[in-house]
Amino acid sequence: MKLVVAVVQDQDSNRLSNALTKNDFRATKLASTGGFLRSGNTTFLIGVEDDLIPKLMDLIRENCRSREQMVAPVSPMGGNADSYIPYPVEVEVGGATIFVLPIEQFHHF
């Protein structure tokens, strides 16, 4: 058994949650915040049998796509402002960051 921790952008979370439910995967959703862009994310905790990992990865891949987005950079809080870019820049957001961890025990009460 594995614990899959999937961090996805909020825009993709409802679509992924629906796909997981439709395909009989149980998941716990946690609100989280990204560090670089300080944008909203959703972290899914999913307990899954080893043989279902490929199916789960396919579901995540199909429902969490990266995209380009214009972002206004955060102004510097001290230090050298010479490198500060005062205008919006296009960055790639979305997709999913996935961690697969081994589980020694699993209990459901």
Side-chain angles (χ1 to χ4, degrees), residues 13 21 33 35 41 53 60 69 92:
S13 69
T21 302
T33 303
N41 293 323
I53 292 287
I60 296 171
Q69 179 177 319
E92 186 175 311

Side-chain angles (χ1 to χ4, degrees), residues 7-108:
V7 181
V8 304
Q9 190 178 36
D10 279 345
Q11 261 183 285
D12 298 325
S13 69
N14 284 337
R15 186 172 47 251
L16 178 59
S17 182
N18 292 336
L20 292 171
T21 302
K22 184 178 178 180
N23 288 275
D24 297 322
F25 287 101
R26 295 176 142 207
T28 299
K29 288 172 56 172
L30 304 171
S32 53
T33 303
F36 174 64
L37 297 176
R38 295 184 176 93
S39 61
N41 293 323
T42 301
T43 300
F44 289 86
L45 303 177
I46 309 160
V48 63
E49 295 294 336
D50 292 3
D51 60 325
L52 293 174
I53 292 287
K55 180 179 179 181
L56 177 60
M57 292 299 159
D58 288 342
L59 277 176
I60 296 171
R61 188 178 298 109
E62 291 167 7
N63 290 282
C64 302
R65 293 292 180 175
S66 60
R67 60 186 86 47
E68 300 292 321
Q69 179 177 319
M70 295 300 284
V71 175
V74 179
S75 62
M77 297 296 287
N80 187 355
D82 293 338
S83 63
Y84 173 64
I85 304 170
Y87 50 87
V89 294
E90 191 171 54
V91 296
E92 186 175 311
V93 297
T97 300
I98 303 168
F99 303 91
V100 180
L101 308 166
I103 298 298
E104 290 185 27
Q105 293 185 16
F106 172 76
H107 302 280
H108 184 112

